[in-house]
Amino acid sequence: RQQRQRLQHALHHLPLPERSILALAYVQELPLDEVARIEGCTAGAAKVRLHRARQKLAALLEHDHEH
């Protein structure tokens, strides 16, 4: 339960574009090419955006864990 709250808190603090791409890829479980189509970018760009969103989320979770 505590992990879920930490995750929800971190997601809330992510900018909308990062939340959106994470939701498409992990909540809706869409393939990368479909995520790219929805986001209006290439599959390569979607992959980079998804990687950066995961990095930001991890940083927020780490920061939250330290405090």
Side-chain angles (χ1 to χ4, degrees):
R1 176 166 259 220
Q2 185 179 8
Q3 283 183 330
R4 181 182 291 230
Q5 289 175 336
R6 285 182 56 229
L7 180 59
Q8 287 177 338
H9 180 77
L11 285 169
H12 178 74
H13 285 87
L14 275 179
L16 184 57
E18 281 84 1
R19 275 186 295 185
S20 174
I21 201 157
L22 287 169
L24 291 170
Y26 295 110
V27 177
Q28 295 187 26
E29 299 181 341
L30 296 176
L32 193 58
D33 60 337
E34 185 67 10
V35 171
R37 187 189 65 75
I38 292 169
E39 291 289 311
C41 62
T42 66
K47 187 174 182 178
V48 168
R49 291 178 189 181
L50 190 55
H51 176 74
R52 289 180 182 159
R54 284 193 307 260
Q55 285 182 317
K56 286 183 183 182
L57 180 61
L60 286 169
L61 288 167
E62 183 64 30
H63 177 75
D64 184 53
H65 182 69
E66 292 173 354
H67 292 6

